[in-house]
């Protein structure tokens, strides 16, 4: 959720069959409360980290997190390139969350050329939209991304 009033949006989503909801870190002053509210609905609670926002200390949020979503493209730009400088952030977050079992998912510009780097940085999964939808052979592209060793989570 990237909205000024995340709690209002959560209320509007009541009854919508969603398994998980990610809230953008910069969209709320009270991330623990919002993550707890998401979890109380029975959904997995995620925190989305915008590529141009501050990176929070997620150790204090770990008890409320089901996953972290690290954006690696500009979310306001449809054809934005992969921002490889964000891999340092993935590594920092992986170090903060070491031993918690909380997965880090990378979303934005993921393809078979960068999946291995993403996994090496500490991500346990990826969102690979454009790479798959543009592929002439979606299954082969997904297999190559999985070979990047992101725990097979594509």
């Amino acid at each position: 959720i990237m909205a000024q009033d995340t709690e209002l949006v959560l209320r509007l989503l009541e009854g919508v069959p969603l398994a998980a909801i990610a809230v953008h870190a910069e969209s709320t002053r009270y991330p623990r409360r919002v993550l707890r509210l998401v979890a109380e609905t029975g959904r997995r609670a995620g925190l989305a980290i915008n590529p141009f926002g501050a990176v929070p200390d997620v150790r204090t949020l770990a008890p409320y997190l089901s996953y972290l979503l690290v954006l690696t493209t500009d979310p306001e730009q449809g054809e934005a390139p992969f921002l490889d400088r964000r891999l340092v952030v993935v590594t920092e977050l992986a170090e903060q969350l070491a031993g918690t079992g909380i997965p880090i998912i990378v979303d934005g510009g993921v393809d078979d050329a960068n999946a291995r780097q993403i996994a090496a940085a500490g991500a346990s999964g990826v969102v690979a939209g454009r790479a798959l939808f543009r592929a002439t052979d979606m299954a082969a592209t997904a297999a190559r991304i999985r070979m990047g060793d992101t725990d097979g989570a594509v």
Side-chain angles (χ1 to χ4, degrees):
I1 299 173
M2 183 189 275
Q4 288 183 345
D5 190 342
T6 54
E7 293 180 42
L8 170 65
V9 174
L10 284 175
R11 287 191 298 278
L12 294 172
L13 291 173
E14 284 179 18
V16 177
L18 300 171
I21 295 177
V23 176
H24 279 256
E26 70 279 4
S27 71
T28 180
R29 293 179 55 197
Y30 307 104
R32 283 181 289 209
R33 179 173 66 200
V34 172
L35 292 168
R36 182 180 46 77
L37 290 171
V38 171
E40 286 174 355
T41 68
R43 297 174 174 118
R44 292 188 316 275
L47 186 70
I49 311 293
N50 188 308
F52 304 109
V55 178
D57 182 346
V58 294
R59 290 173 289 210
T60 61
L61 300 173
Y64 310 95
L65 279 173
S66 301
Y67 64 99
L68 255 173
L69 183 65
V70 179
L71 302 180
T72 49
T73 58
D74 182 344
E76 295 182 11
Q77 195 177 25
E79 296 296 317
F82 179 75
L83 301 171
D84 60 351
R85 64 180 167 74
R86 297 295 291 166
L87 295 176
V88 173
V89 172
V90 172
T91 300
E92 290 171 10
L93 292 168
E95 290 169 359
Q96 287 184 38
L97 294 174
T100 66
I102 298 169
I104 297 172
I105 311 300
V106 168
D107 180 3
V110 174
D111 59 27
D112 52 346
N114 59 25
R116 188 172 305 279
Q117 291 174 284
I118 292 167
S124 51
V126 296
V127 176
R130 266 186 281 159
L132 294 177
F133 293 122
R134 289 185 177 159
T136 54
D137 185 344
M138 194 180 286
T141 300
R144 285 192 303 275
I145 290 170
R146 279 191 196 96
M147 289 181 67
D149 197 26
T150 56
D151 291 343
V154 175

